[in-house]
Every structure is written in C-alpha cells, then in structure tokens.
Amino acid sequence: AWAGLALAYFARSTALRASDGTEYKGSMDAIARALSIDPNVSEAYSAFCANKFRHEHDFAGAEAFCKRALELDPSSADAHNIYSVFLSTTGRHDEAIAEIKQAVDLEPASFFFQRWFANSLYLARRYDEAIERYKKNIELDPQHEPTYYWLTKALQAQGREAEAFEYFIRSLQIVSPNTAAVERYNGIFRSSGWRGVLRARAMSKESP
C-alpha cells in the first residue's frame, strides 16, 4: 500500500503544472515506509526510479532502481511502464517501446498503459503507428481530451492538416462545448488553413 501511495504521489506530481514539492516529498516518504516494511517491494523501486529521473535528474540512479524493480518482479506492469518512460526521456525509444509493449501485454485493459504506448511511438517519430494507437485509445475513452491533443500533433507532423483540424474540433467540443468557437475556428480554417488555426489557438483560452 505504501508503494502504491508513492506511485500515486508521483503520478500527481507529473499532472500538476507547478508543484511546491509536496508530492515529491510525499512519494519519497512513502517509499521509505514501504522499504522499511519490506526491502523487496518492486513498486517502491519503480517509484524511486521515477522520482530519480523526474525530480532529481539522476539518470544513472534512476535506471538502477528501474532494473531492480524488474528483477524483483518481472511481471510488474508498473515497473515496465515506468522504465519505458525513463527510456523515452533519455532518447532510447526502441527500448522504451519494447518495455511498454510488455506492460500492455501484462495489463491490456489499462488505458493508462495504452496511452503511454501511443505516446512512446510518437516520441520515436513512428507517427503512423502512433496515430493508429491514438485512434484506438479514443475508442476506449472518447472523452479523454489529451488523446486528441497528441493525435492532432501526430497528424500535423505528417502534414495531414485537414484530419488534424477535424480532431482539434473534436477536442475543443470536449473542453468547451461552445458552438460559436467551433464556427469561428471553421471560418479560420477555411480562410487561413491549419497555420491560421494554430495562430488563433495560441492566442485563445479555448485551446486545449
């Protein structure tokens, strides 16, 4: 339970735009409690790995903890997922994709892991595969706006601007179901294309 709390604090720290360090401290305290009870808890080492690279920028230490987590429990989907995030962060994209594949194989119903699978493909610039995954993620959760955001970016990277605009509008309808805003962006797209939409989006509070 303490190891799970450590992972939850870490997840919250990544979701916040700004943090005063409360989540990091909470995660580290929970890790210490977990390891004081059982020094061989895989999830605690995964949380240690996550904090090391995210908050302490200690990449060598982070990888050592990620590997320790997998040694203790090779069947831990969390351990494979966090190691995948670490590997993507350090530019080792093929290894990252291999790790997240294992997490998805272990827990195929996890939307969280499916989402990171798509993101890892995007970061590796494997846009066709990323787009396919993002679209499957939308089928799993049509209301998850960040999926539309990343799908739009992947489509844009391939020059598929009309399709990128389609998914941008769908994301806008989730964030702010405002008919006037949708009509305005449709007009901008007709007159100025996708670049015009990007400029308007950068200046608007309606942008995702």
Side-chain angles (χ1 to χ4, degrees), residues 84-157:
S84 174
V85 175
F86 166 80
L87 291 165
S88 279
T89 300
T90 55
R92 293 156 62 183
H93 298 297
D94 290 343
E95 294 174 77
I97 291 166
E99 289 295 329
I100 193 57
K101 279 182 178 177
Q102 291 192 63
V104 168
D105 287 344
L106 288 163
E107 293 189 20
S110 169
F111 179 77
F112 181 81
F113 297 151
Q114 294 284 0
R115 184 181 67 179
W116 175 249
F117 196 173
N119 282 2
S120 67
L121 290 164
Y122 172 84
L123 293 171
R125 300 185 180 183
R126 290 164 58 168
Y127 298 125
D128 283 335
E129 296 169 81
I131 288 166
E132 181 181 355
R133 284 277 167 184
Y134 286 131
K135 289 182 177 180
K136 287 180 179 178
N137 289 350
I138 287 172
E139 291 175 8
L140 293 172
D141 185 354
Q143 296 302 308
H144 188 257
E145 187 277 325
T147 304
Y148 293 86
Y149 171 80
W150 287 103
L151 174 55
T152 298
K153 287 174 69 69
L155 290 165
Q156 177 182 321

Side-chain angles (χ1 to χ4, degrees), residues 56 111 142 145 148 165 168 170 195:
E56 299 178 19
F111 179 77
E145 187 277 325
Y148 293 86
F165 178 70
F168 163 69
R170 289 174 64 176
R195 297 299 169 186

Side-chain angles (χ1 to χ4, degrees), residues 159-175:
R160 294 160 62 175
E161 296 182 350
E163 196 173 354
F165 178 70
E166 173 192 342
Y167 282 98
F168 163 69
I169 290 296
R170 289 174 64 176
S171 72
L172 184 64
Q173 290 169 330
I174 293 170
V175 175

